[in-house]
Amino acid sequence: QVQLQQWGAGLLKPSETLSLTCGVYGGSFSVYYWSWIRQPPGKGLEWLGEVNQRGNTHYNPSLKRRVTISLDTSKNQFSLNLTSVTAADTAMYYCARARGSGSYLSPWGQGTLVTVSS
Amino acid sequence: QSVLTQPPSASGTPGQRVTISCSGSTSDIGSNTVHWYQQLPGTAPTLLIYINDQRPSGVPDRFSGSKSGTSASLAISGLQSGDEADYYCASWDDSLQGYVFGTGTKVTVL
């Protein structure tokens, strides 16, 4: 049964780049899309984007200029980069596996709280 | 940005049936499948219903999903205290070319 374990810096200053990585344990990259979702404190879920093994990506249009999601199959992990962060990017960030592009998300990672503060 | 609309809250007493609606448009629910996620307090979301009405293994049959036109619904029958959580619907949006979540519904067991 596949499990996702994520890690990355939890405290950033405005204008810095957010970088998170999600390790995939017990499964392969083929067929699936690999996604990132975030949730500001006390608010709802926001999809950030996804990538598949071929490197095909889809991004949330509202964040497209700042977001990059990449895959490293040799390390069984995928990553999120979000540039020029502001306080509005403070959120719990989750990685998740999608059955196909835009399909259901399961499983999810445990979440990483990222705080942007000067 | 949420484009799927859910009621902010729903409640019921133990044993009752609760229904949560999810309203979308022709570009999202009207053209694609709907999935539901349960987020227990302080935890990551988990898949509850997929492809409109399918339950992953381990999800009790007290949870059921349906879709009609540009709307979907999640029903919880035999409500239990452990069902207190936030519930989110989700679908792909062909216009945005992105995945969209509902606004979320907090279920309270009275």
Side-chain angles (χ1 to χ4, degrees):
Chain A
Q1 186 176 358
V2 66
Q3 292 185 347
L4 305 184
Q5 184 78 24
Q6 54 184 105
W7 63 89
L11 181 61
L12 297 173
K13 290 181 169 47
S15 80
E16 292 184 332
T17 296
L18 180 157
S19 293
L20 297 175
T21 301
C22 185
V24 180
Y25 304 96
S28 71
F29 280 103
S30 61
V31 177
Y32 301 103
Y33 270 78
W34 304 89
S35 309
W36 288 95
I37 304 97
R38 71 179 181 181
Q39 184 174 35
K43 296 188 178 180
L45 301 170
E46 180 182 31
W47 179 81
L48 302 180
E50 62 183 8
V51 64
N52 72 355
Q53 188 179 20
R54 297 181 180 181
N56 297 326
T57 55
H58 298 106
Y59 295 124
N60 186 319
S62 67
L63 296 166
K64 191 171 185 176
R65 288 181 297 176
R66 297 197 293 133
V67 174
T68 302
I69 297 174
S70 58
L71 203 60
D72 188 337
T73 55
S74 67
K75 295 183 179 180
N76 269 22
Q77 61 192 33
F78 61 107
S79 299
L80 168 70
N81 272 13
L82 181 65
T83 61
S84 305
V85 298
T86 69
D89 295 309
T90 293
M92 185 71 81
Y93 286 76
Y94 297 101
C95 60
R97 184 186 72 174
R99 186 60 182 87
S101 176
S103 186
Y104 53 93
L105 298 164
S106 183
W108 293 56
Q110 81 278 16
T112 301
L113 179 61
V114 177
T115 302
V116 181
S117 174
S118 56
Chain B
Q1 71 286 16
S2 298
V3 296
L4 304 181
T5 302
Q6 300 178 231
S9 63
S11 62
T13 57
Q16 278 190 330
R17 175 184 172 92
V18 168
T19 301
I20 300 169
S21 62
C22 175
S23 178
S25 68
T26 54
S27 64
D28 41 64
I29 294 177
S31 304
N32 297 287
T33 54
V34 178
H35 319 295
W36 290 88
Y37 300 91
Q38 179 190 56
Q39 186 175 30
L40 296 168
T43 68
T46 59
L47 181 66
L48 188 66
I49 297 288
Y50 67 101
I51 310 179
N52 303 329
D53 58 9
Q54 302 299 300
R55 281 187 307 277
S57 64
V59 173
D61 58 7
R62 301 186 297 105
F63 294 91
S64 62
S66 64
K67 170 188 156 180
S68 179
T70 59
S71 295
S73 292
L74 172 71
I76 310 173
S77 60
L79 195 63
Q80 299 178 1
S81 58
D83 298 334
E84 283 205 333
D86 293 322
Y87 293 84
Y88 295 91
C89 59
S91 184
W92 183 260
D93 188 308
D94 291 337
S95 295
L96 294 175
Q97 280 297 294
Y99 199 74
V100 290
F101 287 98
T103 48
T105 299
K106 184 176 185 61
V107 168
T108 302
V109 181
L110 303 172

